[in-house]
Amino acid sequence: MKQRLQQKSSLQNIAFLSVCLSLAACGDHDDTQQTSQNIPQLSPAIGKMLKGSCSDLQGYQYNHTTISNATLQPAGTLTVAGKNIRAHCLIQGYMYQRTSPIDGQIYQIGFEMRLPIDWNGRFLYQGNGGTDGNIVTATGQVGSGGPLSNALNDGFAVISSDAGLNAAQNPLFGLDPQARMDYGYGAITKLTPMAKDLIRAAYSKYPDRSYAGGTSNGGRHAMIAATRLGEQYDGILASTPGSHLPKAAAAQLYTAQQLRRVATDENDLSTALSFDERKVLAKAILDRCDHLDGITDGLVQDVEACRTAFNIHQHVPVCTNQRDGSCLSAEQIDVLANIYRGPINTKGQALYATQPFDPGLLGKNWASWKFESSVGTARDPVAVGIVFQVPPDASIMQNSRQFAFNYNFDTDYPKLAAVDQTYQESALSFMLPPDELNLDKLRLHGGKMIVVQGTADGVFSVDDTQHWYDQLISKYQNLGWG
Ligand SMILES: [Ca+2]
């Protein structure tokens, strides 16, 4: 296995660690990567025109599947960033409609597929973000390359889904065990073979190549495709993957508790660290680390060198009086050191991952995750308390901030791994890849994988992803495949 690891950094909060896993080949070709495993080199996909009329697909039949709409979308019906998108067939439907025995609600895996009239022979599963619940338009935008790089306009057949819950059911779908599992891995597992079969019905052949991509939770979906469904996909783009999402969400509650210690208003955690104070920290990081990559440009691109060059306890100006935006208090420094170290329990065990110091903390996205998502009803507390833990607690919707502040990393955190009679799969089972170090199914048929991770991500740790990558490479090298 050839490996190539690149670290890239860009403006402010958008810094990337990009990892290219040469499962067979990655980017540029190199014959030396061929190993004794004789991994096949995949042939190019061959395009084809949609056969018949789009509306004929209204009658498409597949187990547990209902097609509710099949309508031709002439070129320009859909626009992305002001650009007309090519003519395609829009298919809307749902799979596995059912009534929950837990909450009496009707659940289904809603989806849309967009099939180009002039198809390039490829299929893309578009993984969406957050706790899903919306069928994001299936343009095939997976978080990299900008909106105009969307796969649909490049000729891919694209599917997008709500992962088994609608917006009104979010986040209380976590009370239904099947909805939890569909969100975790069931939706992509059920949709993938149907989507390929629908493509066969539309073009008289299955896709030559199949891809899964997404960012954040969508990147997690892509990781699920790589591991659970590796034999069904040829290419994976996991951007900022929330591979260990329940742990990362719990880490956010730890962040909230730390910020609360220095917040002047616990109902507004941004008072724990003003923008001027974030600039103090960012400047201190840049002073020590910017030049280490050879160019003083406001970017820290040598992340590893910065780990030893910058020490928050030594290199940040400490306030001698009141906080005034030109320094950090000793307690603020302690809080930040804890946040970047990550949560621990009273035994000192690390429960998620460290994060590297990066000036990207000046970004709005970083601030939103730290100050708002960590306590709000839209993300981390309700995800942890309603979707991930066993048993769930619906009352967290009314007191998400206090839930975050009072979350106990000795007694509550283990609930992420808990099961009971009703919830027989834990969040660490349904959200995580089942064996994240086993990519054999993807690799052995010639699949490829690209992972991109921001070093200033507000929630998902690049160190967590790096750790996975290091373990993965070590494993396959030890097997003699490197
Ligand atoms: Ca630099």
Side-chain angles (χ1 to χ4, degrees):
M1 174 185 294
K2 186 180 83 170
Q3 64 172 295
R4 186 175 63 197
L5 188 138
Q6 298 174 319
Q7 292 190 7
K8 294 191 288 186
S9 182
S10 64
L11 291 174
Q12 298 294 329
N13 63 322
I14 308 172
F16 296 106
L17 169 72
S18 87
V19 175
C20 181
L21 299 181
S22 289
L23 297 169
C26 201
D28 56 325
H29 294 271
D30 178 355
D31 290 341
T32 61
Q33 70 202 314
Q34 293 297 331
T35 72
S36 59
Q37 300 299 315
N38 196 26
I39 295 170
Q41 178 68 52
L42 299 178
S43 57
I46 299 171
K48 203 166 181 185
M49 300 296 288
L50 186 77
K51 73 169 185 179
S53 69
C54 174
S55 59
D56 290 346
L57 292 168
Q58 180 90 45
Y60 172 74
Q61 294 188 335
Y62 194 84
N63 286 343
H64 307 291
T65 303
T66 299
I67 301 299
S68 50
N69 179 43
T71 308
L72 178 67
Q73 309 287 297
T77 306
L78 177 65
T79 61
V80 175
K83 183 177 180 180
N84 291 339
I85 299 300
R86 65 167 64 195
H88 60 276
C89 179
L90 170 62
I91 314 284
Q92 294 169 306
Y94 53 86
M95 295 186 79
Y96 287 90
Q97 188 181 75
R98 64 191 173 83
T99 301
S100 165
I102 302 291
D103 59 21
Q105 295 218 19
I106 295 173
Y107 287 91
Q108 60 193 28
I109 302 170
F111 69 87
E112 71 169 44
M113 286 189 74
R114 292 180 183 263
L115 308 176
I117 304 305
D118 184 0
W119 176 51
N120 69 10
R122 297 172 175 178
F123 161 60
L124 173 70
Y125 185 97
Q126 172 184 315
N128 298 314
T131 41
D132 281 284
N134 293 294
I135 304 172
V136 179
T137 305
T139 57
Q141 186 183 346
V142 292
S144 297
L148 295 180
S149 299
N150 65 81
L152 176 62
N153 214 36
D154 286 339
F156 286 69
V158 182
I159 190 169
S160 169
S161 93
D162 58 15
L165 62 135
N166 63 39
Q169 293 167 333
N170 197 358
L172 291 174
F173 75 94
L175 302 180
D176 180 85
Q178 183 62 51
R180 285 182 171 206
M181 291 188 283
D182 282 343
Y183 166 59
Y185 65 88
I188 188 171
T189 301
K190 293 165 181 169
L191 288 165
T192 297
M194 184 281 299
K196 290 188 177 188
D197 190 69
L198 199 156
I199 287 171
R200 177 201 55 76
Y203 301 103
S204 293
K205 76 167 187 178
Y206 289 102
D208 291 325
R209 296 286 164 262
S210 298
Y211 304 83
T215 295
S216 190
N217 178 53
R220 186 195 63 82
H221 283 306
M223 291 289 287
I224 294 294
T227 49
R228 288 184 183 269
L229 308 170
E231 76 282 5
Q232 298 183 58
Y233 285 96
D234 305 303
I236 305 292
L237 173 57
S239 176
T240 316
S243 307
H244 303 140
L245 203 152
K247 295 181 180 180
Q252 284 282 89
L253 310 186
Y254 179 79
T255 292
Q257 293 174 9
Q258 290 297 313
L259 292 172
R260 184 193 193 191
R261 291 173 47 199
V262 289
T264 56
D265 177 359
E266 71 170 32
N267 291 313
D268 178 4
L269 289 184
S270 70
T271 60
L273 192 67
S274 71
F275 185 68
D276 281 344
E277 290 167 334
R278 283 157 58 201
K279 286 198 289 188
V280 169
L281 178 55
K283 181 178 183 304
I285 298 167
L286 286 170
D287 286 349
R288 299 290 301 181
C289 299
D290 189 350
H291 67 285
L292 297 176
D293 53 38
I295 304 174
T296 302
D297 57 356
L299 309 174
V300 175
Q301 303 199 60
D302 192 338
V303 177
E304 293 307 313
C306 190
R307 290 182 201 276
T308 50
F310 175 75
N311 184 321
I312 192 171
H313 296 292
Q314 297 175 8
H315 301 132
V316 175
V318 183
C319 300
T320 51
N321 295 303
Q322 296 297 307
R323 287 167 51 183
D324 63 3
S326 68
C327 53
L328 298 183
S329 71
E331 193 171 15
Q332 281 179 305
I333 290 172
D334 185 58
V335 161
L336 286 162
N338 287 347
I339 290 172
Y340 279 86
R341 179 204 59 202
I344 57 173
N345 59 22
T346 54
K347 294 179 180 175
Q349 296 169 318
L351 303 178
Y352 178 49
T354 57
Q355 297 211 19
F357 286 100
D358 188 286
L361 62 91
L362 289 179
K364 289 180 181 176
N365 186 274
W366 187 92
S368 173
W369 277 104
K370 296 303 186 196
F371 303 143
E372 298 168 17
S373 298
S374 63
V375 287
T377 56
R379 292 193 189 266
D380 300 304
V382 294
V384 170
I386 299 174
V387 183
F388 298 148
Q389 75 176 22
V390 173
D393 180 357
S395 72
I396 292 163
M397 284 294 285
Q398 280 73 52
N399 61 358
S400 63
R401 186 174 297 267
Q402 289 306 313
F403 176 77
F405 290 157
N406 296 321
Y407 190 78
N408 186 303
F409 286 87
D410 289 329
T411 57
D412 290 327
Y413 184 83
K415 296 176 184 174
L416 299 178
V419 296
D420 65 14
Q421 281 295 314
T422 303
Y423 304 94
Q424 298 186 10
E425 236 186 287
S426 79
L428 300 187
S429 172
F430 67 74
M431 289 297 285
L432 273 58
D435 181 354
E436 63 187 9
L437 299 184
N438 186 348
L439 296 178
D440 288 356
K441 288 191 289 187
L442 180 67
R443 179 180 185 274
L444 290 174
H445 75 85
K448 305 172 187 176
M449 183 174 193
I450 296 174
V451 180
V452 181
Q453 177 74 59
T455 52
D457 198 295
V459 56
F460 299 124
S461 164
V462 70
D463 291 348
D464 189 48
T465 303
Q466 179 78 53
H467 179 63
W468 162 79
Y469 176 83
D470 291 343
Q471 287 183 297
L472 185 75
I473 295 304
S474 175
K475 172 195 164 179
Y476 281 105
Q477 285 180 335
N478 288 337
L479 289 172
W481 293 2

